[in-house]
Amino acid sequence: ETYKQKCFEILLQGYVSHQIRSMVGVKEPTEMKKQAVEDVLQETQIPLEILQRFKTFAKRLEVGTDKLERLFDFTTDPFVYQPFTPPGKSDAEKVRSIALILAAKTYLTTGNWNADWKEVKSLTVDHSCYSPNNHLINLQKGGTIFKAVETGQAIVLTPDGIKQAQAIIKSLAEAE
């Protein structure tokens, strides 16, 4: 009998709460959550699929999300970097920097720290640091930042490479 009374009280309280919310016009929690997501999306162009990883990455780098966001053009799919100058004094250093920068973008997209060979080649051509005879050699001279570099294969970063990529992204974001 006490259980029946308890159940009735719970049901009655739920019914009364629902009636009060519908009269006052308070939104349901799911509607409030949807509104919060819409507010965030209006403030930023970062795709919802990568927003959480993007914010976490910005926090790890100790850079504002807005500064990090300015490095990218989210109007294209897949998103790309805004124009930038790769760090490095020599073409070989610039090539390695570009590979690290592209690996950071891949991390934001997929969670994997690697760079696509063709994308690295394309961006090095755009930045006038591509050497057909030395491209592979320039990447292989990276020391401990890449696990292995082979023509046409993904360029996978080591923990040292990840640290360097993060440092480059942080410096690019702070320079903006």
Side-chain angles (χ1 to χ4, degrees):
E1 189 65 34
T2 24
Y3 291 119
K4 286 182 181 179
Q5 185 179 2
K6 224 19 162 172
C7 289
F8 180 73
E9 287 175 9
I10 292 169
L11 285 170
L12 183 60
Q13 185 169 353
Y15 175 77
V16 170
S17 296
H18 177 70
Q19 291 299 325
I20 290 172
R21 275 187 272 163
S22 64
M23 289 189 316
V24 175
V26 176
K27 294 180 179 177
E28 292 291 321
T30 55
E31 291 177 24
M32 290 177 8
K33 189 173 182 179
K34 285 179 186 175
Q35 185 62 43
V37 168
E38 289 173 9
D39 290 345
V40 168
L41 291 176
Q42 289 174 356
E43 294 174 13
T44 182
Q45 292 184 346
I46 302 169
L48 187 59
E49 298 82 18
I50 66 165
L51 184 60
Q52 188 58 46
R53 188 176 298 121
F54 199 91
K55 286 182 175 183
T56 304
F57 189 58
K59 186 175 181 180
R60 187 179 321 128
L61 297 180
E62 298 175 348
V63 173
T65 306
D66 58 327
K67 286 185 176 182
L68 190 59
E69 181 179 359
R70 286 191 295 244
L71 292 178
F72 300 97
D73 177 4
F74 292 105
T75 59
T76 63
D77 186 25
F79 68 94
V80 294
Y81 279 100
Q82 296 284 5
F84 68 93
T85 303
K89 294 177 182 166
S90 68
D91 283 349
E93 289 176 2
K94 289 179 182 180
V95 167
R96 289 189 291 275
S97 293
I98 287 171
L100 293 170
I101 290 167
L102 288 173
K105 184 185 88 154
T106 303
Y107 168 75
L108 290 171
T109 308
T110 66
N112 297 318
W113 282 98
N114 61 51
D116 179 69
W117 175 268
K118 291 178 184 176
E119 196 173 4
V120 171
K121 182 178 175 183
S122 173
L123 203 52
T124 56
V125 169
D126 290 348
H127 286 281
S128 301
C129 56
Y130 176 74
S131 169
N133 299 329
N134 295 324
H135 186 65
L136 178 63
I137 294 167
N138 288 339
L139 286 167
Q140 290 172 335
K141 286 182 183 175
T144 61
I145 61 174
F146 305 120
K147 287 185 179 177
V149 180
E150 296 179 28
T151 303
Q153 300 297 315
I155 303 166
V156 181
L157 273 58
T158 63
D160 288 341
I162 293 170
K163 288 177 188 173
Q164 282 191 25
Q166 290 173 340
I168 291 171
I169 296 298
K170 182 176 181 170
S171 68
L172 289 173
E174 289 175 339
E176 287 293 314

